[in-house]
Amino acid sequence: MDLMLNDTQAMIRDGVRRFLSDSLDPDTVREVEASADGVNSEIWAPMAELGWTALALPEDIGGGGAGLVDLCVLAEELGRAAASTPLVATAGFAAAFLQALEPTAVNRDMLNTLATSDAVITPALVDAAGRDERSASSSILTETDVGATISGAKAMVPYASVAQVLVVSLTTTDGEAAVVAVNRDAEGVSWARHGATGGDPLFHVEFDNVAVPGDRVLARGGAAERAIDAGLDAATIVATAEAVGCCEGMIRLGSQYASSRQQFGQAIGSFQAVAHPLADMRINTDACRLLVAETAWMLDQGLDATLEVAGTKVFANEVIADMIHAAHTVHGAIGYTTEYDLQLYTRRARAFCLSHGDTDAQTERAAVALGL
């Protein structure tokens, strides 16, 4: 595959960069982060109108007919601007998850909604006492002849307060995995926002005997697990692309500071102890971008990319952690102040390293994919 941007991808990059430059600045980022819902509707709604949120969905349902590779170009620009949007949850997880299910009227309606509106469909997969999104759920689905009810709690649910639908992982009374689509405004659903390192809106969501129509039970057993895996793989790669954008922000600020900060009569960037860490940041950011592009391409081709997704996430976790340290080292004390913009990128990058499978979890997935 050609890992250079084609004309369409370059047009996406340039268009999104111009849009965000006109619509978003660091002060607005701070205001959105401090708001109750943590969502900038003045960005998300126009993005949906322009078709960007449906970029990777099939054309026959109103999508852009592109793929994850193109979506990752868009995601990187969002990260570069430190923009908080539901792109990873909705265009990453929900779109891939729904397309991995057996087609039903409910699935198709949800996909149509994603393709033609600014609706948010978000995953609720992490149990309040669970390890991560792929762990077995202790939340219970009880099925009857007239429908089903769910009870339990989920943690770290992104954008729950503005989502139209929550995709909830559960365990049936028979011990089988299941996934249910729950309307956020259904009776018995409540939520409270977490304090989160990255500033993105994450919520604790309670389900108190919530009634669900039978056709909203989207999948059970192995089909549920496979669809969740498909959604999480796509979300992980889109999130990594956003993190690459955050790294670009760190490099930009670090280079500007190293060029302007004077010590011993010269810019500190002239010293190897400052210049070399910035050069390493450039190398590692480009390496992450190439891994994202290759893995996204494999997913677009329908290939088994379990090893590549896990390997990309492990590599990104390790080098991004080093980049965060290097960025703060270059800046010194000023980099740790909330008034300075560096923390908008480093906090988001740190949150990325801890989400979508930490290094231990993804290393274990890679080992299993290798047959170990």
Side-chain angles (χ1 to χ4, degrees):
M1 65 171 292
D2 184 357
L3 294 174
M4 301 299 291
L5 296 186
N6 60 33
D7 290 343
T8 299
Q9 291 160 354
M11 182 177 65
I12 293 169
R13 178 200 61 197
D14 295 342
V16 176
R17 191 174 296 181
R18 282 194 303 270
F19 169 75
L20 293 173
S21 177
D22 294 338
S23 308
L24 194 64
D25 58 38
D27 288 338
T28 304
V29 171
R30 289 177 172 86
E31 290 171 9
V32 171
E33 187 175 308
S35 66
D37 294 323
V39 180
N40 189 338
S41 58
E42 294 180 5
I43 286 180
W44 182 246
M47 282 175 59
E49 243 180 81
L50 290 164
W52 291 345
T53 62
L55 192 63
L57 287 172
E59 290 180 295
D60 63 350
I61 61 168
L68 276 180
V69 175
D70 301 314
L71 187 64
C72 285
V73 173
L74 189 157
E76 181 179 332
E77 292 306 312
L78 293 176
R80 183 191 290 264
S84 294
T85 74
L87 187 81
V88 172
T90 294
F93 175 85
F97 166 81
L98 290 168
Q99 291 179 89
L101 296 171
E102 289 296 322
T104 66
V106 171
N107 299 352
R108 192 163 185 86
D109 284 347
M110 291 172 68
L111 281 168
N112 281 330
T113 298
L114 287 181
T116 59
S117 74
D118 62 355
V120 175
I121 299 177
T122 194
L125 306 179
V126 182
D127 273 14
R131 176 185 177 184
D132 58 26
E133 298 91 340
R134 287 186 167 88
S135 300
S137 177
S138 59
S139 300
I140 301 299
L141 171 68
T142 303
E143 297 183 85
T144 67
D145 293 337
V146 295
T149 60
I150 68 173
S151 295
K154 294 293 182 177
M156 295 185 291
V157 181
Y159 299 92
S161 67
V162 297
Q164 280 69 36
V165 177
L166 308 175
V167 176
V168 188
S169 61
L170 302 156
T171 300
T172 68
T173 52
D174 296 329
E176 189 177 43
V179 188
V180 175
V182 181
N183 290 340
R184 184 211 60 198
D185 58 2
E187 186 176 353
V189 180
S190 60
W191 58 90
R193 188 169 175 180
H194 293 301
T197 298
D200 283 346
L202 300 175
F203 292 82
H204 178 91
V205 181
E206 297 272 354
F207 302 93
D208 184 10
N209 204 33
V210 178
V212 180
D215 62 356
R216 305 282 281 186
V217 180
L218 302 177
R220 298 174 181 81
E225 293 169 351
R226 288 190 294 274
I228 288 173
D229 278 343
L232 289 175
D233 282 348
T236 299
I237 292 307
V238 176
T240 308
E242 275 197 352
V244 168
C246 287
C247 293
E248 290 288 351
M250 288 188 268
I251 292 170
R252 174 176 55 81
L253 291 174
S255 299
Q256 290 173 353
Y257 186 77
S259 298
S260 60
R261 175 74 165 88
Q262 297 283 318
Q263 190 61 267
F264 306 112
Q266 54 190 311
I268 62 172
S270 63
F271 301 111
Q272 289 183 351
V274 174
H276 287 191
L278 286 167
D280 286 340
M281 290 170 68
R282 171 80 277 152
I283 293 165
N284 287 328
T285 297
D286 289 345
C288 283
R289 180 183 295 110
L290 294 175
L291 286 172
V292 165
E294 180 185 14
T295 306
W297 177 84
M298 290 185 68
L299 291 171
D300 282 339
Q301 302 306 308
L303 302 173
D304 181 4
T306 302
L307 178 60
E308 286 73 17
V309 171
T312 298
K313 186 59 165 68
V314 169
F315 179 80
N317 284 352
E318 292 179 345
V319 299
I320 289 175
D322 289 341
M323 280 190 266
I324 293 168
H325 180 265
H328 280 289
T329 300
V330 167
H331 283 86
I334 193 174
Y336 290 92
T337 63
T338 56
E339 294 82 4
Y340 195 70
D341 293 343
L342 181 64
Q343 50 85 24
L344 298 176
Y345 297 103
T346 56
R347 285 191 296 105
R348 283 163 172 76
R350 172 60 68 189
F352 160 79
C353 294
L354 300 173
S355 61
H356 302 285
D358 62 16
T359 299
D360 288 344
Q362 292 289 7
T363 299
E364 179 61 25
R365 287 192 77 222
V368 172
L370 287 169
L372 302 175

